[in-house]
């Protein structure tokens, strides 16, 4: 229906007058909000892209996880979870994005980068972020949101919180008799 005089309701094509925005018209970097375009924040743009990757991955038979890795407002890498295709349990979206960004920069250090992830990063991905210098990660869906679907990593976080010395950690040191100097060898390389 067309907007009538005195009416506050509009249809999807309320008017054809110039300067009036129609919801079907795309605008880069913007989002339609009650018949007007508003500029999205960088956070919104990057997070929406991570969510888009996650939804595309669902359609491809994968898990609902996507990640975008950003530096100085520019996307360095983006990826979706690849476990369904690779059968590699470490093939998480964040890990893939880290690998791709490291290749782009030619460095294992990703200082100054941020990650936008569709879901709460697992401990492995978070540890990888810490190890390569990523200082900030944003996520859309929490472990609590993921729990009813069997996608939460909250139990892994709880197990890790017990510490590496906890009997349930499964972590044990075993150095063969006579073994020594491995790290010193590395420290002496040119």
């Amino acid at each position: 229906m067309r907007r009538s005089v005195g009416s506050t309701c509009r249809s999807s094509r309320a008017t054809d007058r110039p300067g009036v925005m129609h919801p079907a018209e795309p605008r880069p970097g913007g989002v339609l909000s009650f018949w007007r375009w508003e500029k999205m924040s960088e956070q919104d743009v990057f997070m929406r892209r991570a969510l888009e990757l996650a939804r595309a991955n669902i359609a491809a038979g994968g898990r609902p996880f996507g990640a975008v890795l950003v530096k100085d407002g520019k996307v360095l890498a983006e990826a979706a979870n690849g476990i369904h295709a690779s059968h590699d349990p470490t093939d998480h979206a964040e890990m893939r994005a880290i690998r791709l960004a490291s290749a782009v920069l030619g460095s294992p250090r990703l200082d100054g980068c941020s990650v936008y992830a569709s879901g709460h990063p697992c401990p492995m991905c978070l540890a990888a972020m810490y190890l390569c210098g990523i200082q900030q990660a944003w996520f859309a869906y929490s472990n609590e949101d993921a729990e009813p679907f069997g996608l939460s990593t909250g139990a892994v976080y709880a197990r890790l919180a017990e510490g590496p010395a906890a009997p349930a950690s499964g972590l044990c040191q075993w150095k063969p008799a006579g073994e020594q100097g491995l790290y010193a060898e590395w420290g002496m390389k040119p």
Side-chain angles (χ1 to χ4, degrees), residues 71-146:
K71 183 171 185 171
D72 300 325
K74 304 242 185 305
V75 174
L76 288 180
E78 56 182 35
N81 183 293
I83 293 173
H84 67 290
S86 68
H87 306 289
D88 174 354
T90 69
D91 202 3
H92 292 197
E94 299 91 336
M95 297 294 285
R96 293 177 113 192
I98 287 169
R99 290 178 189 125
L100 290 168
S102 293
V104 167
L105 293 178
S107 172
R109 297 298 306 167
L110 298 176
D111 300 286
C113 293
S114 296
V115 170
Y116 293 83
S118 59
H120 191 288
C122 75
M124 173 185 67
C125 293
L126 185 59
M129 290 179 215
Y130 290 162
L131 288 170
C132 69
I134 294 171
Q135 296 173 339
Q136 190 162 41
W138 302 90
F139 61 91
Y141 288 89
S142 69
N143 272 323
E144 291 76 18
D145 296 326

Side-chain angles (χ1 to χ4, degrees), residues 15-175:
T15 179
D16 293 321
R17 293 178 302 185
V20 174
M21 191 57 57
H22 300 295
E25 295 175 7
R27 281 285 171 101
V31 65
L32 183 67
S33 173
F34 193 70
W35 292 94
R36 63 182 157 83
W37 287 98
E38 295 178 353
K39 181 86 171 132
M40 282 196 293
S41 70
E42 277 189 355
Q43 283 180 308
D44 277 341
V45 171
F46 300 139
M47 187 59 77
R48 287 180 189 278
R49 179 60 183 151
L51 292 164
E52 186 179 296
L53 291 164
R55 286 193 167 93
N57 205 45
I58 293 170
R63 296 178 182 200
F65 300 111
V68 176
L69 200 146
V70 176
K71 183 171 185 171
D72 300 325
K74 304 242 185 305
V75 174
L76 288 180
E78 56 182 35
N81 183 293
I83 293 173
H84 67 290
S86 68
H87 306 289
D88 174 354
T90 69
D91 202 3
H92 292 197
E94 299 91 336
M95 297 294 285
R96 293 177 113 192
I98 287 169
R99 290 178 189 125
L100 290 168
S102 293
V104 167
L105 293 178
S107 172
R109 297 298 306 167
L110 298 176
D111 300 286
C113 293
S114 296
V115 170
Y116 293 83
S118 59
H120 191 288
C122 75
M124 173 185 67
C125 293
L126 185 59
M129 290 179 215
Y130 290 162
L131 288 170
C132 69
I134 294 171
Q135 296 173 339
Q136 190 162 41
W138 302 90
F139 61 91
Y141 288 89
S142 69
N143 272 323
E144 291 76 18
D145 296 326
E147 183 66 37
F149 305 97
L151 297 169
S152 175
T153 56
V156 180
Y157 274 104
R159 185 172 173 186
L160 289 172
E162 294 173 7
S169 76
L171 187 61
C172 305
Q173 184 176 10
W174 182 268
K175 191 186 298 182

